[in-house]
């Protein structure tokens, strides 16, 4: 740790910090809140953006679906890009994006990492397939994490080795053909042993084809889908509150390969989107996949397990002990600014889902083995406003609906109002949409947000969200409500930028006797100062939190680094001090490609990390990251089988990437 701090001090004194290899990561981190970071969907979004950066979209042939996959764009911006291309033909350079009024300079800078202009697009698609195959790109990547400590489970409890590792391969042909494979292993899981006779604990594989006759997009293997506003089907994207404001509540219709290491929220089989006519589009899918489940004594499912860990005999016993068959379709109509669609999704479980409904907040959880959800999504896009919505119904007739209105008051100011109502009797196994409670059930509320750019240098985003819960929730035995507010401002001038954020979150929960509700209040603030040059920059960040139980917490962090031709060196160090887990602090930390790192810390301690990337040649690169965490207030880290009987832990991440 002393060595890390010495290196940090020297680099700070020289005012040098290597420019991030993936500057867009900061844009993604800026739209995240604590609840978003605790959801696995953001890791999927991050992996998708990493892939897009490696194989960006050609704007001259991008489909609406491809543009909607970018979480930074609104409906209006997608429509404007499509309309500009229709009116003026193929773009000659990325600078033409400045001619589209709805795209500001900050957004264009982000888009440069995921899109490009190919002036030969018109003739490229006419080349013979044999010739086009020469332009395909292969990527092979291996990753491993070596812990310099021992968990209790490593001594007695876990069936495998203490190393986490994965392997991935991908072939990409002009984004029209993609073939991929992922093998993943968590620390403690058996490798070529026990139930994993074929090696890795989890495999993902896929073949994707685009723009093949009437087939707009088709995936065979493991895939993810997002339809409408997520009330029936969305295992593809997260919809956090700040991200919703950035997207202005737009709806999606997306089919994409499951290329991440996540062992939940995916389908397995085939899905395809067909262009029936210029105005009609049909998406259909069929899936059969295994599930992990905790079983009741009679063999029914008590809970569907989503952790994905198979380290102990108990966890291994739950692996793939149940199966789900899913099928569905979505038909969409679009004419001018009007769009409408209908969705039907059917699910059959080979075991009855029978949760313990004696617990009050589980009373209306999904039950049975056959599920049917229907929905209608709709919207209208005008140059100055946009309407979007979806209304869904489950097999019992319970309703869920979400509707949004976004208005561009001027070029500088946009407003959004969103209403939602999710009946406490509504259930959908694959639903994910804007919510306070994390589920599309037992919630109604109103969300108001604004984006204000009073000058090219200043950007302000804010929202307020009120939610009411008609039925009991976890730790809340009666109807309750919450109120969430956030203000975020960024000021940029030249090479400097300053970001300030404040969030006030009020919730209700049971008192100690569970006879009345008590109000809890959480304040979170952040100030970040960044200096960026073409090759050097520096970033300093301070975070603070205060909860209604009088818990306090703060952290100070500095990130520095240096780019030297083929070598990129990054160093970050920080100090944190919080009173409890409730006042934990989240900090963003760079990692190797496809490794999303936004850890949380509580107690008192220090965190430091050094990452070096060496590009040996045009095709081969190596990355190593050494991370160290030390706590001043404890002699053991973690609990149970994860407990480390020491006050510090050190991990080494190694990654090799070969493109050909």
């Amino acid at each position: 740790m002393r060595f890390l701090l010495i290196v940090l001090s020297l680099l700070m004194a020289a005012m040098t910090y290597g420019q991030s290899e993936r500057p867009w990561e900061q844009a993604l981190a800026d739209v995240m809140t604590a609840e978003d970071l605790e959801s696995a969907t953001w890791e999927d979004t991050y992996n998708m953006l990493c892939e897009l950066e490696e194989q960006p979209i050609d704007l001259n042939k991008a489909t609406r679906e491809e543009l909607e996959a970018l979480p930074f764009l609104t409906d209006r911006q997608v429509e404007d890009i499509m309309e500009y291309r229709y009116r003026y033909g193929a773009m000659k350079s990325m600078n033409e994006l400045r001619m589209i009024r709805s795209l500001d300079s900050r957004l264009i800078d982000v888009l440069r990492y995921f899109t490009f202009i190919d002036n030969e697009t018109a003739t490229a698609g006419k080349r013979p397939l044999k010739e086009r195959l020469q332009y395909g790109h292969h990527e092979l990547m291996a990753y491993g994490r070596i812990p310099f400590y021992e968990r209790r489970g490593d001594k007695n409890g876990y069936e495998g080795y203490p190393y986490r590792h994965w392997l991935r391969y991908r072939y990409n042909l002009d984004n029209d053909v993609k073939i991929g494979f992922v093998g993943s292993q968590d620390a403690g899981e058996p490798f070529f042993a026990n139930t994993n006779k074929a090696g890795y604990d989890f495999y993902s594989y896929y073949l994707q084809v685009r723009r093949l006759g009437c087939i707009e997009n088709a995936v065979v293997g493991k895939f993810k889908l997002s339809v409408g506003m997520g009330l029936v089907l969305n295992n593809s994207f997260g919809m956090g509150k700040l991200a919703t404001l950035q997207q202005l509540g737009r709806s999606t219709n997306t089919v994409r390969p499951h290329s991440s290491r996540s062992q939940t929220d995916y389908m397995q089989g085939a899905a395809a989107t067909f262009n029936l006519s210029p105005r009609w589009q049909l998406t259909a899918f069929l899936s059969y996949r295994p599930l992990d489940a905790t079983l009741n004594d009679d063999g029914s499912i008590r809970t569907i397990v989503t952790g994905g860990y198979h380290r102990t005999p108990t966890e291994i016993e739950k692996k793939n002990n149940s199966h789900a068959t899913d099928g569905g379709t979505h038909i969409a109509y679009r004419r001018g600014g009007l769009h409408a669609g209908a969705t039907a999704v059917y699910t059959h479980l080979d075991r009855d889902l029978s949760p313990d409904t004696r617990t009050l907040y589980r009373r209306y959880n999904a039950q049975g083995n056959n599920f049917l959800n229907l929905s209608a999504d709709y919207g209208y896009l005008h140059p100055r406003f946009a309407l979007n919505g979806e209304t869904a119904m489950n097999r019992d007739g319970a309703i869920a609906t979400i509707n949004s209105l976004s208005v561009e008051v001027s070029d500088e100011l946009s407003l959004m109002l969103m209403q939602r109502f999710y009946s406490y009797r509504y259930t959908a196994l694959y639903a994910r949409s804007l919510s306070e409670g994390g589920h599309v059930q037992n919630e109604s509320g109103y969300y108001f947000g604004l984006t204000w750019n009073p000058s090219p240098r200043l950007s302000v985003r804010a929202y307020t969200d009120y939610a009411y819960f008609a039925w009991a929730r976890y730790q809340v035995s009666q109807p309750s409500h919450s109120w969430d507010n956030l203000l975020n401002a960024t000021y940029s001038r030249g090479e400097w930028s300053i970001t300030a954020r404040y969030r006030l979150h009020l919730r209700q929960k049971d008192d100690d006797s569970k006879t009345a509700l008590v109000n809890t209040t959480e304040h979170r603030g952040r100030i970040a100062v960044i200096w960026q040059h073409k090759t050097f920059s520096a970033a300093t960040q301070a975070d603070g939190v205060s909860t209604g139980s009088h818990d306090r917490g703060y952290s100070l962090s500095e990130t520095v680094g240096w780019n030297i031709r083929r070598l990129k060196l990054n160093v970050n160090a920080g100090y944190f001090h919080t009173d409890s887990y409730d006042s934990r602090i989240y900090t963003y930390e760079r990692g190797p490609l496809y490794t999303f790192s936004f850890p949380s810390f509580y107690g008192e301690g220090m965190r430091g990390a050094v990452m070096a990337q060496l590009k040996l040649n045009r095709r081969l690169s190596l990355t190593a990251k050494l991370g160290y965490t030390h706590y001043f207030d404890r002699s053991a880290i973690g609990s149970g089988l994860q407990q480390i009987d020491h006050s510090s832990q050190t991990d080494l991440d190694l990654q090799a990437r070969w493109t050909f």
Side-chain angles (χ1 to χ4, degrees):
M1 192 63 188
R2 291 181 179 178
F3 169 75
L4 295 182
L5 294 176
I6 292 173
V7 173
L8 173 63
S9 301
L10 292 175
L11 291 176
M12 287 178 62
M15 291 296 289
T16 59
Y17 165 73
Q19 190 177 22
S20 172
E21 184 191 5
R22 300 184 294 278
W24 56 265
E25 288 186 1
Q26 188 61 50
L28 182 64
D30 286 344
V31 300
M32 293 183 178
T33 60
E35 289 78 9
D36 300 328
L37 298 173
E38 294 172 351
S39 170
T41 58
W42 279 107
E43 185 172 356
D44 291 336
T45 302
Y46 171 79
N47 288 337
M48 180 202 68
L49 292 176
C50 285
E51 291 181 356
L52 278 177
E53 186 183 26
E54 298 302 316
Q55 295 293 331
I57 301 169
D58 180 4
L59 282 178
N60 280 334
K61 68 174 185 178
T63 64
R64 183 183 302 275
E65 182 187 38
E66 287 178 305
L67 293 177
E68 287 178 345
L70 295 172
F72 309 108
L73 294 178
T74 67
D75 263 341
R76 176 77 268 162
Q77 291 162 345
V78 171
E79 184 66 25
D80 286 349
I81 293 173
M82 301 291 289
E83 183 179 355
Y84 182 91
R85 198 175 66 190
Y86 174 78
R87 285 189 175 185
Y88 305 108
M91 301 181 193
K92 302 300 181 184
S93 73
M94 292 291 290
N95 290 329
E96 284 193 55
L97 291 177
R98 301 185 182 278
M99 302 296 292
I100 301 175
R101 191 177 66 177
S102 61
L103 303 180
D104 59 36
S105 58
R106 295 187 187 92
L107 181 57
I108 293 173
D109 289 341
V110 173
L111 288 178
R112 291 180 186 276
Y113 295 101
F114 308 111
T115 62
F116 73 104
I117 300 296
D118 185 358
N119 292 321
E120 298 181 358
T121 294
T123 59
K126 298 179 181 179
R127 291 195 298 259
L129 179 61
K130 183 177 180 180
E131 181 180 343
R132 292 184 66 202
L133 290 174
Q134 300 177 6
Y135 296 90
H137 296 273
H138 301 263
E139 178 187 75
L140 182 63
M141 185 176 297
Y143 166 89
R145 167 170 288 184
I146 303 173
F148 294 97
Y149 50 84
E150 190 174 48
R151 300 181 179 92
R152 286 189 174 180
D154 298 329
K155 303 175 185 177
N156 183 18
Y158 293 155
E159 297 293 310
Y161 299 103
Y163 310 109
R164 176 189 178 190
H165 52 95
W166 49 260
L167 179 71
R168 62 182 295 148
Y169 164 80
R170 184 182 60 165
Y171 172 78
N172 189 322
L173 176 62
D174 294 335
N175 283 324
D176 289 336
V177 178
K178 293 182 181 180
I179 301 173
F181 162 87
V182 178
S184 177
Q185 195 82 12
D186 288 312
E189 294 177 337
F191 186 58
F192 282 108
N194 206 300
T195 57
N196 297 331
K197 302 297 184 182
Y200 283 103
D201 181 71
F202 175 73
Y203 288 99
S204 183
Y205 42 85
Y206 58 86
L207 166 64
Q208 182 181 32
V209 179
R210 289 182 180 272
R211 293 178 279 263
L212 182 63
C214 67
I215 300 178
E216 177 70 24
N217 180 22
V219 180
V220 177
K222 295 187 178 182
F223 58 91
K224 289 176 170 284
L225 301 100
S226 177
V227 174
M229 299 186 74
L231 297 189
V232 169
L233 181 60
N234 178 16
N235 55 20
S236 185
F237 296 106
M239 291 186 65
K241 294 179 182 177
L242 201 54
T244 297
L245 178 60
Q246 181 156 321
Q247 299 169 6
L248 293 180
R250 65 173 168 84
S251 59
T252 61
N253 179 23
T254 304
V255 178
R256 67 183 182 93
H258 177 51
S259 57
S260 72
R261 303 179 303 278
S262 172
Q263 300 187 33
T264 59
D265 287 338
Y266 69 88
M267 301 287 187
Q268 181 174 264
T273 299
F274 303 91
N275 290 323
L276 304 181
S277 74
R279 295 176 181 173
W280 289 92
Q281 196 175 68
L282 175 70
T283 298
F285 72 93
L286 184 63
S287 167
Y288 178 76
R289 68 184 184 95
L291 300 173
D292 292 2
T294 301
L295 303 181
N296 295 309
D297 293 337
D298 61 359
S300 61
I301 299 174
R302 182 186 305 169
T303 56
I304 296 176
V305 180
T306 59
Y309 292 112
H310 307 116
R311 302 162 298 188
T312 66
T314 301
E315 292 175 346
I316 292 173
E317 185 180 358
K318 299 176 183 179
K319 181 179 179 180
N320 299 344
N321 61 7
S322 305
H323 292 80
T325 303
D326 303 284
T329 184
H330 173 77
I331 187 166
Y333 173 81
R334 184 179 294 271
R335 181 175 183 178
L338 176 68
H339 66 87
T343 305
V345 175
Y346 171 78
T347 299
H348 171 75
L349 302 179
D350 63 352
R351 299 175 184 266
D352 276 344
L353 181 58
S354 182
D356 182 6
T357 56
R358 292 172 299 178
T359 304
L360 195 61
Y361 72 89
R362 294 196 183 104
R363 180 72 52 82
Y364 293 99
N365 282 13
Q367 302 177 49
N369 61 354
N370 293 294
F371 304 90
L372 176 65
N373 291 88
L374 306 173
S375 80
D377 59 277
Y378 38 84
Y380 180 74
L381 184 62
H382 184 272
R384 282 297 183 185
F385 68 88
L387 289 166
N388 283 290
E390 184 178 14
T391 299
M393 179 176 65
N394 69 353
R395 65 182 181 184
D396 300 320
I399 297 295
T401 183
I402 183 169
N403 302 276
S404 71
L405 168 65
S406 59
V407 180
E408 293 188 20
V409 180
S410 66
D411 292 344
E412 295 79 25
L413 177 64
S414 62
L415 306 175
M416 188 182 73
L417 177 65
M418 181 176 288
Q419 167 271 338
R420 63 191 183 273
F421 169 76
Y422 310 145
S423 169
Y424 59 81
R425 295 187 299 110
Y426 179 79
T427 54
L429 297 182
Y430 306 116
R432 182 183 295 115
S433 191
L434 180 78
S435 68
E436 168 69 20
H439 304 283
V440 181
Q441 185 183 30
N442 184 30
E443 182 172 330
S444 59
Y446 293 93
Y447 173 101
F448 175 75
L450 68 86
T451 300
W452 182 39
N453 300 310
S455 73
R457 296 175 179 173
L458 179 62
S459 175
V460 179
R461 288 175 292 174
Y463 71 74
T464 181
D465 180 61
Y466 173 82
Y468 174 75
F469 313 98
W471 189 255
R473 304 167 61 216
Y474 178 66
Q475 295 185 336
V476 187
S477 58
Q478 55 185 290
S480 61
H481 66 264
S482 70
W483 189 29
D484 186 13
N485 307 269
L486 184 140
L487 174 64
N488 189 93
T490 299
Y491 178 80
S492 303
R493 182 168 184 174
E495 298 173 341
W496 292 87
S497 68
I498 301 175
T499 297
R501 174 186 290 192
Y502 170 70
R503 188 185 188 194
L504 170 63
H505 204 168
L506 296 92
R507 301 182 181 94
Q508 290 184 310
K509 67 177 183 179
D510 287 335
D511 61 8
D512 293 338
S513 63
K514 296 186 179 181
T515 58
L517 297 180
V518 295
N519 296 319
T520 62
T521 304
E522 181 181 87
H523 304 265
R524 286 187 179 271
R526 173 182 298 168
I527 296 179
V529 180
I530 301 175
W531 176 73
Q532 278 194 330
H533 193 261
K534 291 182 179 179
T535 55
F536 304 105
S537 63
T540 304
Q541 181 171 305
D543 288 87
V545 59
S546 173
T547 68
S549 58
H550 304 292
D551 284 351
R552 303 287 186 271
Y554 68 91
S555 72
L556 300 171
S557 61
E558 183 75 20
T559 306
V560 296
W562 203 356
N563 294 354
I564 313 173
R565 295 182 180 179
R566 297 183 177 182
L567 176 65
K568 301 179 186 297
L569 177 67
N570 289 268
V571 182
N572 67 272
Y575 171 79
F576 56 90
H577 189 184
T578 78
D579 294 333
S580 70
Y581 177 78
D582 290 337
S583 54
R584 61 194 178 279
I585 296 288
Y586 292 85
T587 60
Y588 167 70
E589 185 175 288
R590 280 200 61 202
L593 193 62
Y594 298 109
T595 57
F596 185 78
S597 182
F598 223 123
S600 64
F601 301 98
Y602 68 96
E604 184 184 10
M606 298 187 69
R607 169 67 181 178
V610 177
M611 188 173 75
Q613 180 185 12
L614 178 62
K615 195 169 185 178
L616 299 177
N617 53 46
R618 187 168 57 91
R619 301 181 182 275
L620 182 62
S621 62
L622 304 176
T623 302
K625 176 184 175 181
L626 184 67
Y628 175 82
T629 305
H630 178 76
Y631 291 90
F632 302 129
D633 61 343
R634 69 195 69 173
S635 58
I637 303 173
S639 60
L641 295 179
Q642 286 288 95
Q643 180 170 317
I644 303 169
D645 295 324
H646 202 275
S647 60
S648 61
Q649 66 180 89
T650 304
D651 294 277
L652 175 63
D653 295 351
L654 299 173
Q655 185 181 89
R657 178 171 177 260
W658 180 35
T659 58
F660 55 99

